[in-house]
Amino acid sequence: MTDPTLRGLWLAIATLAACIVAATTGLLAWAGGMNPPTAILTAGGAFAGTILLILTAVRFTTGQPE
């Protein structure tokens, strides 16, 4: 995981996955009756949680120390 190319690739994959999750969460929140600003905040929280989870999982599976 020390190769900068692989790190960039993993970051791009994590960001894309987090964007998909955030968009889905925002749309479901809005369709469920939330007003648009609250749905956007919900999507932002989903984005942050997803990207942190994915990057932590990648770090754990590659055995990188802190």
Side-chain angles (χ1 to χ4, degrees):
M1 191 64 151
T2 58
D3 184 18
T5 306
L6 285 178
R7 293 179 87 179
L9 181 63
W10 277 113
L11 184 61
I13 291 169
T15 303
L16 179 62
C19 284
I20 292 169
V21 169
T24 304
T25 302
L27 287 172
L28 287 174
W30 178 67
M34 287 187 175
N35 57 0
T38 306
I40 290 170
L41 287 174
T42 303
F47 176 84
T50 302
I51 203 158
L52 286 173
L53 179 67
I54 291 173
L55 292 178
T56 302
V58 167
R59 184 178 203 117
F60 176 76
T61 55
T62 58
Q64 293 292 319
E66 298 230 359

